[in-house]
Coordinates of all heavy atoms in Angstrom, one line a residue:
M97 N 22.0 130.7 163.4 CA 23.3 130.1 163.7 C 23.9 130.8 164.9 O 24.4 130.2 165.7 CB 24.2 130.2 162.5 CG 25.7 130.1 162.8 SD 26.5 129.0 161.7 CE 28.0 128.6 162.4
W98 N 23.7 132.1 165.0 CA 24.2 132.8 166.2 C 23.4 132.6 167.4 O 23.9 133.0 168.5 CB 24.3 134.4 165.8 CG 25.4 134.6 164.9 CD1 25.4 134.2 163.6 CD2 26.6 135.3 165.1 NE1 26.6 134.7 163.0 CE2 27.4 135.3 163.9 CE3 27.2 135.9 166.2 CZ2 28.6 135.8 163.8 CZ3 28.4 136.4 166.1 CH2 29.1 136.5 164.9
D99 N 22.2 132.1 167.3 CA 21.3 132.1 168.5 C 21.2 130.7 169.0 O 20.4 130.4 169.8 CB 20.0 132.7 168.2 CG 19.2 132.1 167.1 OD1 19.8 131.2 166.4 OD2 18.1 132.4 166.8
R100 N 21.9 129.7 168.3 CA 21.9 128.4 168.8 C 23.3 127.9 169.2 O 24.3 128.2 168.5 CB 21.3 127.5 167.7 CG 19.8 127.5 167.6 CD 19.4 126.6 166.5 NE 18.0 126.6 166.4 CZ 17.1 125.9 167.1 NH1 17.5 125.1 168.0 NH2 15.8 126.0 166.9
C101 N 23.4 127.2 170.3 CA 24.7 126.6 170.6 C 25.1 125.6 169.5 O 24.3 124.8 169.0 CB 24.5 125.7 171.9 SG 26.0 124.8 172.4
L102 N 26.4 125.7 169.0 CA 26.9 124.9 168.0 C 26.9 123.4 168.3 O 26.7 122.7 167.4 CB 28.3 125.4 167.6 CG 29.1 124.6 166.5 CD1 28.5 125.1 165.2 CD2 30.6 124.9 166.6
L103 N 27.0 123.1 169.6 CA 27.2 121.8 170.0 C 25.9 121.1 170.4 O 25.6 119.9 169.9 CB 28.2 121.6 171.2 CG 29.6 122.0 170.7 CD1 30.5 121.7 172.0 CD2 30.1 121.1 169.7
C104 N 25.0 121.7 171.0 CA 23.8 121.1 171.4 C 22.5 121.7 170.7 O 21.4 121.2 170.9 CB 23.7 121.1 172.9 SG 23.3 122.8 173.6
G105 N 22.7 122.9 170.1 CA 21.5 123.4 169.4 C 20.5 124.1 170.3 O 19.5 124.7 169.8
R106 N 20.8 124.2 171.5 CA 19.9 124.9 172.4 C 19.9 126.4 172.2 O 20.9 127.0 171.9 CB 20.1 124.6 173.8 CG 19.7 123.2 174.3 CD 19.7 123.0 175.8 NE 21.0 123.4 176.4 CZ 21.3 123.9 177.6 NH1 20.2 124.0 178.4 NH2 22.4 124.2 178.0
Q107 N 18.7 127.0 172.4 CA 18.6 128.4 172.2 C 18.6 129.1 173.6 O 17.5 129.3 174.2 CB 17.4 128.8 171.4 CG 17.5 128.6 170.0 CD 16.3 129.0 169.2 OE1 15.2 128.5 169.4 NE2 16.4 130.0 168.3
V108 N 19.8 129.3 174.1 CA 20.0 130.0 175.4 C 21.0 131.1 175.2 O 21.7 131.1 174.2 CB 20.4 128.9 176.4 CG1 19.3 127.9 176.7 CG2 21.7 128.2 175.9
P109 N 21.3 131.9 176.2 CA 22.3 132.9 176.1 C 23.7 132.2 175.9 O 24.0 131.3 176.5 CB 22.3 133.7 177.4 CG 20.9 133.5 177.9 CD 20.5 132.1 177.4
L110 N 24.4 132.7 174.8 CA 25.6 131.9 174.3 C 26.8 132.7 174.7 O 26.8 133.9 175.0 CB 25.5 131.8 172.8 CG 24.4 130.9 172.3 CD1 24.4 130.9 170.8 CD2 24.3 129.5 172.9
E111 N 28.0 132.0 174.8 CA 29.3 132.6 175.1 C 30.1 132.4 173.8 O 30.0 131.4 173.1 CB 29.9 131.9 176.3 CG 28.9 132.0 177.5 CD 29.4 131.2 178.7 OE1 30.4 130.4 178.6 OE2 28.9 131.3 179.8
V112 N 31.1 133.3 173.7 CA 32.0 133.1 172.5 C 33.1 132.3 173.0 O 33.8 132.5 174.0 CB 32.6 134.6 172.2 CG1 33.6 134.5 171.1 CG2 31.4 135.4 171.6
H113 N 33.5 131.3 172.2 CA 34.6 130.5 172.4 C 35.6 130.6 171.3 O 35.2 130.5 170.1 CB 34.2 129.0 172.5 CG 35.3 128.0 172.5 ND1 36.1 128.0 173.7 CD2 35.7 127.1 171.6 CE1 37.0 127.0 173.4 NE2 36.8 126.5 172.2
H114 N 36.8 130.8 171.6 CA 37.9 131.0 170.7 C 38.4 129.5 170.4 O 38.9 128.9 171.3 CB 39.1 131.9 171.2 CG 38.7 133.2 171.3 ND1 37.9 133.7 172.3 CD2 38.9 134.3 170.6 CE1 37.7 135.0 172.2 NE2 38.4 135.4 171.1
V115 N 38.3 129.1 169.1 CA 38.6 127.8 168.7 C 40.1 127.5 169.0 O 40.3 126.4 169.5 CB 38.3 127.5 167.2 CG1 38.7 126.1 166.8 CG2 36.7 127.7 167.0
F116 N 40.9 128.5 168.8 CA 42.3 128.3 169.1 C 42.7 129.2 170.2 O 42.7 130.4 170.0 CB 43.2 128.5 167.9 CG 42.9 127.5 166.8 CD1 42.0 127.9 165.7 CD2 43.3 126.2 166.8 CE1 41.6 126.9 164.7 CE2 42.9 125.3 165.9 CZ 42.1 125.7 164.8
G117 N 42.9 128.7 171.4 CA 43.1 129.6 172.6 C 44.6 129.8 172.9 O 45.4 129.3 172.1
G118 N 44.8 130.4 174.0 CA 46.2 130.5 174.4 C 46.6 131.9 174.0 O 46.1 132.6 173.1
V119 N 47.8 132.4 174.6 CA 48.2 133.7 174.5 C 48.5 134.0 172.9 O 48.2 135.1 172.4 CB 49.4 134.0 175.3 CG1 50.1 135.3 175.0 CG2 49.1 133.9 176.8
A120 N 49.2 133.0 172.3 CA 49.6 133.2 170.8 C 48.5 133.1 169.9 O 48.4 133.9 169.0 CB 50.8 132.2 170.6
N121 N 47.7 132.1 170.2 CA 46.6 131.8 169.1 C 45.3 132.5 169.3 O 44.6 132.7 168.3 CB 46.4 130.3 169.1 CG 47.5 129.6 168.5 OD1 48.4 130.2 167.8 ND2 47.6 128.3 168.8
R122 N 45.0 132.9 170.5 CA 43.7 133.6 170.7 C 43.4 134.8 169.7 O 42.4 134.8 169.1 CB 43.5 133.9 172.1 CG 42.2 134.3 172.5 CD 42.1 134.6 174.0 NE 41.0 135.5 174.4 CZ 39.9 135.0 174.9 NH1 39.8 133.8 175.3 NH2 38.9 135.8 175.3
P123 N 44.4 135.7 169.6 CA 44.2 136.9 168.8 C 44.1 136.5 167.4 O 43.3 137.1 166.6 CB 45.5 137.7 169.0 CG 46.1 137.3 170.1 CD 45.7 135.8 170.3
K124 N 44.8 135.4 166.9 CA 44.7 135.0 165.5 C 43.3 134.4 165.3 O 42.7 134.6 164.2 CB 45.8 133.9 165.2 CG 47.2 134.4 165.4 CD 48.2 133.3 165.1 CE 49.5 133.6 165.6 NZ 50.5 132.5 165.7
S125 N 42.9 133.7 166.2 CA 41.6 133.0 166.1 C 40.5 134.1 166.0 O 39.6 134.0 165.1 CB 41.3 132.2 167.4 OG 40.4 131.2 167.3
T126 N 40.6 135.2 166.7 CA 39.7 136.3 166.5 C 39.8 136.9 165.1 O 38.8 137.0 164.4 CB 39.9 137.4 167.5 OG1 39.9 136.8 168.8 CG2 38.9 138.5 167.4
E127 N 41.0 137.1 164.7 CA 41.3 137.7 163.4 C 40.8 136.9 162.2 O 40.3 137.5 161.3 CB 42.8 137.9 163.3 CG 43.3 138.9 162.3 CD 44.7 138.9 162.2 OE1 45.5 139.1 163.3 OE2 45.4 138.8 161.1
D128 N 40.9 135.6 162.4 CA 40.5 134.7 161.3 C 39.0 134.3 161.4 O 38.5 133.6 160.6 CB 41.3 133.5 161.4 CG 42.8 133.7 161.0 OD1 43.1 134.7 160.4 OD2 43.6 132.8 161.5
G129 N 38.3 134.9 162.5 CA 36.9 134.5 162.6 C 36.7 133.1 163.1 O 35.6 132.5 162.9
L130 N 37.6 132.6 163.7 CA 37.5 131.2 164.2 C 37.0 131.2 165.7 O 37.7 130.8 166.6 CB 38.9 130.4 164.0 CG 39.3 130.4 162.6 CD1 40.7 129.6 162.5 CD2 38.3 129.7 161.7
V131 N 35.8 131.7 165.8 CA 35.2 131.7 167.1 C 33.9 131.1 166.9 O 33.3 131.1 165.8 CB 35.0 133.1 167.6 CG1 36.3 133.7 167.9 CG2 34.2 134.0 166.7
V132 N 33.3 130.4 167.9 CA 32.0 129.7 167.8 C 31.2 130.1 169.1 O 31.8 130.7 170.0 CB 32.2 128.1 167.8 CG1 32.8 127.8 166.5 CG2 32.9 127.7 169.0
H133 N 29.9 130.0 168.9 CA 29.0 130.3 170.0 C 28.5 129.1 170.7 O 27.8 128.2 170.0 CB 27.9 131.2 169.5 CG 28.5 132.5 169.0 ND1 29.0 132.6 167.7 CD2 28.6 133.7 169.6 CE1 29.3 133.8 167.6 NE2 29.2 134.5 168.7
L134 N 28.8 129.0 172.0 CA 28.4 127.8 172.8 C 27.5 128.2 174.0 O 27.7 129.3 174.6 CB 29.6 127.1 173.3 CG 30.6 126.6 172.2 CD1 31.8 126.0 172.9 CD2 30.0 125.7 171.2
C135 N 26.7 127.3 174.5 CA 26.0 127.6 175.7 C 26.9 127.4 176.9 O 28.0 126.7 176.7 CB 24.7 126.7 175.8 SG 25.1 125.0 176.1
P136 N 26.7 127.9 178.1 CA 27.5 127.7 179.2 C 27.8 126.2 179.5 O 28.9 125.9 179.9 CB 26.8 128.4 180.3 CG 25.8 129.4 179.7 CD 25.4 128.7 178.4
E137 N 26.9 125.3 179.3 CA 27.1 124.0 179.5 C 28.2 123.4 178.6 O 29.1 122.7 179.0 CB 25.8 123.2 179.2 CG 24.8 123.0 180.3 CD 25.5 122.4 181.5 OE1 25.6 121.2 181.6 OE2 25.6 123.2 182.4
C138 N 28.0 123.6 177.3 CA 29.0 123.2 176.3 C 30.3 123.9 176.4 O 31.3 123.4 175.9 CB 28.3 123.2 175.0 SG 26.9 122.1 174.7
H139 N 30.3 125.1 176.9 CA 31.5 125.9 176.8 C 32.4 125.5 178.1 O 33.5 125.3 177.9 CB 31.1 127.4 176.9 CG 32.3 128.3 176.6 ND1 32.4 129.5 177.2 CD2 33.4 128.1 176.0 CE1 33.5 130.2 176.8 NE2 34.2 129.2 176.1
R140 N 31.8 125.6 179.3 CA 32.6 125.5 180.5 C 32.1 124.6 181.5 O 32.8 124.0 182.3 CB 32.6 126.9 181.2 CG 33.3 128.0 180.4 CD 33.2 129.4 181.1 NE 31.8 129.9 181.0 CZ 31.0 130.0 182.1 NH1 31.4 129.6 183.3 NH2 29.8 130.5 181.9
N141 N 30.8 124.4 181.6 CA 30.3 123.7 182.8 C 30.0 122.2 182.7 O 30.3 121.5 183.6 CB 29.0 124.4 183.3 CG 29.1 125.8 183.6 OD1 30.3 126.2 183.9 ND2 28.1 126.6 183.4
G142 N 29.7 121.8 181.5 CA 29.2 120.4 181.4 C 30.4 119.4 181.3 O 31.6 119.9 181.2
R143 N 30.1 118.2 181.4 CA 31.1 117.2 181.4 C 31.9 117.1 180.1 O 33.1 116.9 180.1 CB 30.4 115.8 181.6 CG 31.4 114.6 181.7 CD 30.8 113.5 182.3 NE 31.8 112.4 182.2 CZ 31.5 111.1 182.0 NH1 30.3 110.7 182.0 NH2 32.5 110.3 182.0
W144 N 31.2 117.4 179.0 CA 31.9 117.4 177.6 C 32.2 118.9 177.2 O 32.4 119.1 176.0 CB 31.0 116.8 176.7 CG 30.5 115.4 177.1 CD1 29.2 115.2 177.5 CD2 31.3 114.2 177.4 NE1 29.1 113.8 177.9 CE2 30.3 113.3 177.9 CE3 32.6 113.9 177.2 CZ2 30.8 111.9 178.2 CZ3 33.0 112.6 177.6 CH2 32.1 111.7 178.1
A145 N 32.2 119.8 178.1 CA 32.4 121.2 177.7 C 33.8 121.4 177.1 O 34.8 120.7 177.4 CB 32.3 122.1 179.0
A146 N 33.8 122.4 176.2 CA 35.1 122.6 175.4 C 36.2 122.9 176.3 O 37.4 122.5 175.8 CB 34.8 123.8 174.5
H147 N 36.1 123.5 177.4 CA 37.2 123.7 178.3 C 37.5 122.7 179.3 O 38.4 122.7 180.1 CB 37.0 125.1 179.0 CG 37.3 126.3 178.1 ND1 38.4 126.9 177.9 CD2 36.3 127.0 177.4 CE1 38.3 127.8 177.0 NE2 37.0 128.0 176.8
R148 N 36.7 121.6 179.3 CA 36.8 120.5 180.2 C 37.2 119.2 179.5 O 37.7 118.2 180.2 CB 35.7 120.3 181.1 CG 35.4 121.6 182.0 CD 34.3 121.4 182.9 NE 34.6 120.2 183.9 CZ 33.7 119.8 184.6 NH1 32.4 120.2 184.7 NH2 33.9 118.8 185.5
C149 N 36.8 119.1 178.3 CA 37.0 117.8 177.6 C 37.9 118.0 176.4 O 37.6 118.8 175.5 CB 35.6 117.4 177.1 SG 35.6 115.9 176.1
R150 N 38.9 117.3 176.4 CA 39.9 117.4 175.3 C 39.3 117.0 174.0 O 39.6 117.7 172.9 CB 41.1 116.5 175.7 CG 42.2 116.8 174.8 CD 43.5 116.2 175.2 NE 44.5 116.4 174.1 CZ 45.1 117.6 174.0 NH1 45.0 118.5 174.8 NH2 46.0 117.7 172.9
N151 N 38.4 115.9 174.0 CA 37.9 115.5 172.7 C 37.1 116.6 172.1 O 37.0 116.9 170.9 CB 37.0 114.3 172.9 CG 37.9 113.1 173.0 OD1 39.1 113.1 172.7 ND2 37.3 112.0 173.4
T152 N 36.3 117.3 172.9 CA 35.4 118.4 172.4 C 36.3 119.5 171.8 O 36.0 120.0 170.8 CB 34.6 119.0 173.5 OG1 33.8 117.9 174.1 CG2 33.5 120.1 173.0
M153 N 37.4 119.9 172.6 CA 38.2 120.9 172.2 C 38.8 120.5 170.8 O 38.9 121.4 169.8 CB 39.4 121.1 173.2 CG 40.3 122.3 173.0 SD 41.6 122.3 174.1 CE 42.7 121.1 173.2
I154 N 39.3 119.3 170.7 CA 40.0 118.9 169.4 C 38.9 118.9 168.3 O 39.3 119.4 167.1 CB 40.6 117.4 169.6 CG1 41.7 117.5 170.6 CG2 41.1 116.9 168.3 CD1 43.0 118.2 170.2
R155 N 37.7 118.5 168.6 CA 36.7 118.4 167.5 C 36.5 119.9 167.0 O 36.4 120.0 165.8 CB 35.5 117.9 168.2 CG 34.7 116.9 167.3 CD 33.5 116.3 168.1 NE 32.4 117.0 167.9 CZ 31.3 117.1 168.7 NH1 31.4 116.4 169.8 NH2 30.3 117.8 168.5
L156 N 36.4 120.8 167.8 CA 36.2 122.2 167.5 C 37.4 122.7 166.6 O 37.2 123.4 165.8 CB 35.9 123.1 168.7 CG 34.6 122.8 169.4 CD1 34.5 123.6 170.7 CD2 33.4 123.3 168.4
R157 N 38.6 122.2 167.1 CA 39.8 122.7 166.3 C 39.8 122.1 164.9 O 40.2 122.7 164.0 CB 41.0 122.3 167.1 CG 41.1 123.2 168.3 CD 42.3 123.1 169.1 NE 42.4 124.1 170.1 CZ 43.3 124.3 171.0 NH1 44.5 123.6 170.9 NH2 43.3 125.2 171.9
M158 N 39.3 120.9 164.8 CA 39.2 120.3 163.4 C 38.2 121.1 162.6 O 38.5 121.4 161.4 CB 38.7 118.8 163.5 CG 39.7 117.9 164.1 SD 39.0 116.3 164.5 CE 39.0 115.5 162.9
V159 N 37.1 121.5 163.1 CA 36.0 122.2 162.4 C 36.8 123.6 162.1 O 36.6 124.1 161.0 CB 34.8 122.5 163.3 CG1 33.9 123.6 162.7 CG2 34.1 121.2 163.5
G160 N 37.5 124.2 163.0 CA 38.2 125.4 162.7 C 39.2 125.4 161.7 O 39.3 126.3 160.8
Q161 N 40.0 124.4 161.7 CA 41.0 124.1 160.6 C 40.3 124.0 159.3 O 40.8 124.6 158.2 CB 42.0 123.0 160.9 CG 43.0 122.8 159.7 CD 44.0 121.8 160.1 OE1 44.1 121.3 161.2 NE2 44.8 121.5 159.1
K162 N 39.3 123.2 159.2 CA 38.5 123.0 157.9 C 38.1 124.4 157.5 O 38.1 124.7 156.2 CB 37.4 122.1 158.1 CG 37.7 120.6 158.0 CD 36.6 119.7 158.2 CE 37.1 118.3 158.5 NZ 36.1 117.5 159.3
A163 N 37.5 125.2 158.3 CA 37.0 126.5 157.9 C 38.1 127.4 157.4 O 37.9 128.1 156.4 CB 36.3 127.1 159.1
Y164 N 39.2 127.3 158.1 CA 40.4 128.1 157.7 C 40.9 127.8 156.3 O 41.1 128.6 155.4 CB 41.4 127.9 158.6 CG 42.7 128.9 158.4 CD1 42.6 130.2 158.7 CD2 43.9 128.3 157.8 CE1 43.7 131.1 158.5 CE2 45.0 129.2 157.6 CZ 44.9 130.6 157.9 OH 45.9 131.4 157.7
E165 N 40.9 126.4 156.0 CA 41.4 125.9 154.7 C 40.3 126.2 153.6 O 40.7 126.5 152.4 CB 41.7 124.4 154.8 CG 43.0 124.2 155.6 CD 43.3 122.7 155.8 OE1 42.6 121.9 155.1 OE2 44.3 122.4 156.5
K166 N 39.1 126.2 153.9 CA 38.0 126.4 153.0 C 38.1 127.9 152.6 O 37.6 128.2 151.5 CB 36.7 126.1 153.7 CG 35.6 125.7 152.7 CD 34.4 125.1 153.3 CE 33.3 124.8 152.3 NZ 32.0 124.5 152.9
A167 N 38.5 128.7 153.5 CA 38.6 130.1 153.1 C 39.7 130.4 152.2 O 40.0 131.6 151.9 CB 38.7 131.0 154.5
G168 N 40.4 129.4 151.8 CA 41.5 129.6 150.7 C 42.9 129.5 151.1 O 43.8 129.8 150.3
H169 N 43.1 129.0 152.4 CA 44.5 128.9 152.9 C 44.9 127.4 152.7 O 44.0 126.4 152.7 CB 44.6 129.2 154.3 CG 44.2 130.6 154.6 ND1 42.9 131.0 155.1 CD2 44.8 131.8 154.5 CE1 42.8 132.3 155.2 NE2 43.9 132.8 154.9
S170 N 46.2 127.2 152.5 CA 46.7 125.8 152.4 C 46.9 125.2 153.8 O 46.9 126.0 154.8 CB 48.0 125.8 151.7 OG 49.1 126.4 152.5
R171 N 47.1 123.9 153.8 CA 47.3 123.3 155.1 C 48.7 123.8 155.7 O 48.8 124.0 156.9 CB 47.5 121.7 154.8 CG 47.6 121.0 156.1 CD 47.0 119.7 156.1 NE 45.5 119.8 155.9 CZ 44.7 118.8 155.7 NH1 45.1 117.6 155.8 NH2 43.3 119.0 155.6
Q172 N 49.7 124.1 154.8 CA 50.9 124.6 155.4 C 50.7 126.0 155.9 O 51.3 126.3 157.1 CB 52.0 124.8 154.2 CG 52.6 123.5 153.8 CD 53.1 122.7 155.0 OE1 53.7 123.2 156.0 NE2 53.0 121.4 155.0
D173 N 49.8 126.8 155.4 CA 49.5 128.1 155.9 C 49.0 127.9 157.4 O 49.4 128.6 158.4 CB 48.4 128.8 155.2 CG 48.9 129.2 153.8 OD1 50.1 129.4 153.6 OD2 48.0 129.5 152.9
F174 N 48.1 126.9 157.4 CA 47.5 126.7 158.8 C 48.5 126.3 159.9 O 48.6 126.8 161.0 CB 46.4 125.6 158.7 CG 45.8 125.4 160.0 CD1 44.7 126.2 160.5 CD2 46.2 124.3 160.9 CE1 44.2 125.9 161.8 CE2 45.7 124.1 162.1 CZ 44.7 124.9 162.5
I175 N 49.3 125.3 159.4 CA 50.3 124.8 160.4 C 51.3 125.9 160.9 O 51.6 126.0 162.0 CB 51.1 123.6 159.8 CG1 50.1 122.4 159.7 CG2 52.2 123.2 160.6 CD1 50.7 121.3 158.7
K176 N 51.6 126.7 159.9 CA 52.6 127.8 160.1 C 52.0 128.8 161.2 O 52.6 129.3 162.0 CB 52.9 128.5 158.8 CG 54.3 129.0 158.7 CD 54.6 129.4 157.2 CE 55.6 130.6 157.3 NZ 55.7 131.2 155.9
R177 N 50.6 129.0 161.0 CA 50.0 130.0 161.8 C 49.6 129.5 163.2 O 49.7 130.1 164.2 CB 48.7 130.5 161.1 CG 48.0 131.7 161.6 CD 47.1 132.4 160.6 NE 46.3 133.4 161.1 CZ 46.6 134.6 161.4 NH1 47.9 135.0 161.2 NH2 45.8 135.5 161.9
Y178 N 49.2 128.2 163.2 CA 48.7 127.7 164.6 C 49.6 126.6 165.1 O 49.3 126.1 166.3 CB 47.2 127.2 164.4 CG 46.2 128.4 164.2 CD1 45.8 128.7 162.9 CD2 45.8 129.1 165.3 CE1 44.9 129.8 162.8 CE2 44.9 130.1 165.1 CZ 44.5 130.4 163.9 OH 43.6 131.5 163.7
G179 N 50.6 126.3 164.5 CA 51.6 125.4 165.1 C 51.3 124.0 165.0 O 52.3 123.1 165.4
R180 N 50.2 123.4 164.5 CA 50.1 122.1 164.3 C 48.8 121.8 163.4 O 48.1 122.6 163.1 CB 50.0 121.3 165.6 CG 48.8 121.6 166.5 CD 48.6 120.6 167.5 NE 47.9 119.4 167.1 CZ 47.4 118.5 167.9 NH1 47.5 118.6 169.2 NH2 46.7 117.5 167.3
N181 N 48.9 120.5 163.1 CA 47.7 120.0 162.1 C 46.8 119.2 162.9 O 47.1 118.3 163.6 CB 48.4 119.2 161.0 CG 47.4 118.7 160.1 OD1 46.4 119.3 159.8 ND2 47.7 117.5 159.5
Y182 N 45.5 119.5 162.8 CA 44.4 118.8 163.4 C 43.6 117.9 162.5 O 42.7 117.1 163.0 CB 43.4 119.8 164.1 CG 44.0 120.6 165.2 CD1 44.7 121.8 165.0 CD2 44.1 120.0 166.5 CE1 45.2 122.6 166.0 CE2 44.7 120.8 167.5 CZ 45.2 122.0 167.2 OH 45.8 122.7 168.2
L183 N 44.0 117.9 161.3 CA 43.2 117.0 160.3 C 44.0 115.8 159.8 O 45.2 115.8 159.8 CB 42.8 117.9 159.1 CG 41.8 119.1 159.4 CD1 41.6 119.9 158.2 CD2 40.5 118.5 160.1
Ligands
ZN1402 ZN1 25.3 123.7 174.2
ZN1403 ZN1 36.1 129.2 175.4

């Protein structure tokens, strides 16, 4: 899991992407383990990269929220912590 890009599955050197970015949310994202490993294409460079394509970003945030709720938090907890609901 750590050696494959989450989005394309390629085994190349990966970069850490914080599912919830920004000054306020990035540290929380780290704290909650809501980080994913993406190849440079899927992370920054490609047409559908997380930092260039809003749909990709939202998709990852949906995955992140699901993981957060699966870890035993309620939806209210999530909204309170990250400011909105993605599901
Ligand atoms: Zn990729
Ligand atoms: Zn990133």
Side-chain angles (χ1 to χ4, degrees):
M97 165 132 190
W98 287 68
D99 58 353
R100 279 181 183 278
C101 172
L102 180 75
L103 294 177
C104 70
R106 284 194 304 155
Q107 286 184 296
V108 294
L110 300 178
E111 301 174 350
V112 174
H113 173 68
H114 293 76
V115 175
F116 300 97
V119 177
N121 287 341
R122 194 180 156 104
K124 297 177 198 166
S125 206
T126 305
E127 198 181 310
D128 295 337
L130 300 177
V131 296
V132 295
H133 295 84
L134 304 176
C135 73
E137 272 306 282
C138 294
H139 188 210
R140 294 175 288 108
N141 301 332
R143 184 165 175 209
W144 312 109
H147 286 277
R148 296 184 63 191
C149 172
R150 191 166 174 79
N151 282 347
T152 303
M153 189 191 79
I154 297 290
R155 226 173 88 208
L156 289 171
R157 289 186 176 183
M158 290 170 78
V159 170
Q161 181 174 349
K162 276 181 197 158
Y164 185 78
E165 292 181 2
K166 211 170 171 186
H169 303 96
S170 71
R171 186 145 300 177
Q172 280 316 316
D173 290 341
F174 178 84
I175 295 168
K176 216 165 147 191
R177 190 159 170 80
Y178 287 100
R180 61 166 280 195
N181 180 28
Y182 293 93
L183 299 177

